[in-house]
Amino acid sequence: MDWQSAVTGGIVYTGRHLASLEGEMAEGLRRDAVLAVNLTGTFDVTRLSIPFLRQSGSGVIINMSSVGGRFGYPNRSPYATTKRGLLGLTETLALELGGAGIRGDAIASGAVDVERIQTGTAKQGRDHRTQCWKRPPPTP
């Protein structure tokens, strides 16, 4: 597999990450899909990219984690597990590849307190304030 196919194949989103460890997702294919896309897919794309980065003499590997991987989210056990795994992978890559001029970084984004999040969490019977970063005040 060439690197363009590997990278293109790694940019996927299943949208199937809302479940607790006791829920239906923890059993079977939906759980496996989250693990495959979020963790295994990133691992494989990164593995295939490293020879090209080494050849160039420098580079940056940026993984998309989540605040869910850092702090956890209720009812998102499989998702939070994969995003925590990405943080560990990123830290390890930075240690292993730093000497070759290759950096490892992770973006740990999270929900922002906006109407769409407020509406979605209310429909699920959750308090959006426990799930979001506070929206910064408008710039004057």
Side-chain angles (χ1 to χ4, degrees):
M1 176 184 297
D2 62 284
W3 72 272
Q4 289 100 340
S5 299
V7 170
T8 303
I11 302 173
V12 180
Y13 176 70
T14 63
R16 299 177 181 174
H17 62 272
L18 300 176
S20 69
L21 191 58
E22 298 173 309
E24 66 173 272
M25 184 178 176
E27 302 172 11
L29 296 176
R30 290 180 62 192
R31 176 210 56 220
D32 294 344
V34 173
L35 290 170
V37 171
N38 290 353
L39 199 52
T40 306
T42 302
F43 186 92
D44 288 344
V45 169
T46 302
R47 180 181 53 81
L48 292 169
S49 301
I50 290 171
F52 298 100
L53 294 170
R54 283 190 184 279
Q55 185 178 3
S56 73
S58 67
V60 181
I61 298 167
I62 301 173
N63 289 322
M64 293 300 299
S65 185
S66 165
V67 295
R70 176 63 182 93
F71 302 108
Y73 275 140
N75 300 312
R76 288 178 173 83
S77 300
Y79 176 80
T81 299
T82 62
K83 295 303 183 172
R84 175 71 79 158
L86 287 177
L87 293 174
L89 173 63
T90 303
E91 291 171 2
T92 302
L93 290 170
L95 294 169
E96 290 178 351
L97 302 173
I102 302 168
R103 292 182 308 146
D105 293 311
I107 297 172
S109 59
V112 177
D113 190 4
V114 295
E115 184 178 349
R116 179 175 165 260
I117 297 297
Q118 294 168 10
T119 303
T121 55
K123 285 180 183 176
Q124 296 171 7
R126 295 183 292 126
D127 183 351
H128 74 279
R129 293 169 295 184
T130 65
Q131 306 282 314
C132 301
W133 294 103
K134 296 300 178 195
R135 177 184 246 176
T139 307

